Amino acid sequence: MTHHSLETLLIDSSVAVRSAMMQTLVLPELRNLSTNCYGFPIDLSCCGVIAQQNNFPELRVIAISGDVPVRWSNTNPVPSLRAHMPFLGPAIQNLANLRVLTFRHINFEGGRWLPDLGNSCPHLRWLLFIKCTGYTIASIRSLVETRILRDGINPLEILSIEPHSTEAWESRLQEGDADWFRECLTLMYEDDCWYI
């Protein structure tokens, strides 16, 4: 389905249904997948379509969900989503107008699949990691620093990381990192989350 002027789309359904629907749409003016700033998540299966066809060039807000198991969830992880990880970076690079990007339950496998956000999405202002694994604070710090130093790329206004309960110490904020982030941005602790 194609619609040339639709800017906001609210699909109130499961992530799987929403993702299946998104793969069939061409919405060149779409800016938001919901009416709130965080967006309803789509899963990694949509990344191939976004990477190859770029059906959403004006998209401003996106939340991408993976298959990291969550202890409170009644559903099992979807291992087939792992096959879509190679499309994550190219999909994000095609979304040049993004302002808010949320990753939920994604395993970045030691940073292997972490998109190069220091050199893409020039308008990105908010970056959120919710219950993700396989990244390091050093890699996050590097992308924040790159965005600060690069001409033509906006620095982040908000960085939020809510670590997965099983994630290694490399993904947790250490004292030296907190000092560095405080020099560049505003840092607030709230439960097991931190926001910059």
Side-chain angles (χ1 to χ4, degrees), residues 103 126-130 158-162 193-196:
F103 294 116
W126 292 20
L127 179 58
L128 300 92
F129 294 87
I130 300 172
I158 294 177
L159 173 63
S160 172
I161 298 180
E162 181 181 340
C193 309
W194 55 275
Y195 302 88
I196 298 172

Side-chain angles (χ1 to χ4, degrees), residues 67-77 105 130-131 164-165:
D67 61 357
V68 172
V70 182
R71 71 175 163 213
W72 47 262
S73 174
N74 292 331
T75 60
N76 293 321
H105 312 288
I130 300 172
K131 305 287 186 192
H164 193 275
S165 59

